[in-house]
Amino acid sequence: MKQIAQDLNLKATANSMFCKIFPKLCNLFGKYTLFGKFRGKNLEIYTIKFTNIKQFPQQLVVKSNLGLAEPFRIVARKRPFFICFHKIFDGDIYFTNNPILDSRLLFSTNRQDLLNLILQYDEIQDQFHNIWKTRKCDGTLSVNNNFIIYHEPFRLITKTTRERIKNVANLICDITDIIKLLGRFTTQDNSMG
């Protein structure tokens, strides 16, 4: 985690006193919260454990607040093996014109026009490809008017995980820039500080 903080120039705080006694072990298991500005956006990286699951996996989370007034929803996740069930039960499946993205990712949205505008940039498509370049990545990116959040299950912070988190942070910043440049979305009065 401390290497991710250094890569992205974020501050790291320990989640418990245990981290002060065994900092290397806690660093490996993601027991730090990272926060600060990355490319001018407030970013937070932390781990959570689901309350009903006592053991692994935990979730590594990257989050940035948007604070926009107009509601929308975009979700990108690894393409499931049985995509036909999603087509039947989830009516807002979206297929891009990019065969590489369509073979690896499943997009769902209630604003296809907004997703089209985001995916029109080759850099954005490349970042999606870099994050989900292996079939092992089970991460999910959710974008709505309140926040952009990426989460993935993990056991240890590895070099591959660190590289993916850097790509996720860049993707979050680029999506934020595109949405705010569109000008059709107004900021709420209680937006992030």
Side-chain angles (χ1 to χ4, degrees), residues 35-50:
F35 61 93
K37 287 202 179 276
F38 177 70
R39 291 179 44 194
K41 317 298 183 289
N42 288 331
L43 200 65
E44 189 176 1
I45 302 173
Y46 54 93
T47 58
I48 59 171
K49 187 189 290 186
F50 291 114

Side-chain angles (χ1 to χ4, degrees), residues 27-63:
N27 185 40
L28 189 61
F29 285 100
K31 298 297 183 187
Y32 288 89
T33 298
L34 312 181
F35 61 93
K37 287 202 179 276
F38 177 70
R39 291 179 44 194
K41 317 298 183 289
N42 288 331
L43 200 65
E44 189 176 1
I45 302 173
Y46 54 93
T47 58
I48 59 171
K49 187 189 290 186
F50 291 114
T51 54
N52 56 346
I53 299 173
K54 300 286 184 204
Q55 310 205 351
F56 291 114
Q58 296 185 84
Q59 295 284 319
L60 181 61
V61 177
V62 182
K63 182 178 178 182

Side-chain angles (χ1 to χ4, degrees), residues 77-102:
R77 60 184 175 265
K78 182 175 87 170
R79 184 182 173 106
F81 185 72
F82 294 109
I83 195 166
C84 57
F85 291 121
H86 288 275
K87 288 180 183 177
I88 293 169
F89 296 111
D90 192 2
D92 57 0
I93 298 295
Y94 176 83
F95 294 98
T96 68
N97 292 328
N98 184 322
I100 295 172
L101 286 182
D102 285 341

Side-chain angles (χ1 to χ4, degrees), residues 76 101 105 119 124-132 141 171:
L101 286 182
L105 292 171
L119 291 175
I124 298 287
Q125 292 183 27
D126 290 344
Q127 288 174 355
F128 274 112
H129 172 71
N130 288 337
I131 294 166
W132 282 275
L141 179 76
L171 178 63

Side-chain angles (χ1 to χ4, degrees), residues 122-169:
D122 291 336
E123 298 83 12
I124 298 287
Q125 292 183 27
D126 290 344
Q127 288 174 355
F128 274 112
H129 172 71
N130 288 337
I131 294 166
W132 282 275
K133 64 183 165 188
T134 66
R135 298 260 180 215
K136 294 179 181 178
C137 179
D138 287 329
T140 300
L141 179 76
S142 299
V143 183
N144 66 37
N145 56 305
N146 294 318
F147 55 82
I148 300 177
I149 188 167
Y150 171 85
H151 60 89
E152 68 176 47
F154 87 105
R155 295 180 185 270
L156 298 173
I157 305 258
T158 63
K159 183 179 179 182
T160 305
T161 305
R162 290 194 317 261
E163 189 63 36
R164 187 167 43 250
I165 296 306
K166 286 195 293 187
N167 289 331
V168 166

Side-chain angles (χ1 to χ4, degrees), residues 100-121:
I100 295 172
L101 286 182
D102 285 341
S103 68
R104 294 184 183 192
L105 292 171
L106 178 67
F107 289 96
S108 59
T109 183
N110 63 353
R111 288 290 309 271
Q112 288 186 4
D113 59 331
L114 181 58
L115 185 54
N116 280 333
L117 290 170
I118 291 170
L119 291 175
Q120 75 180 350
Y121 296 96

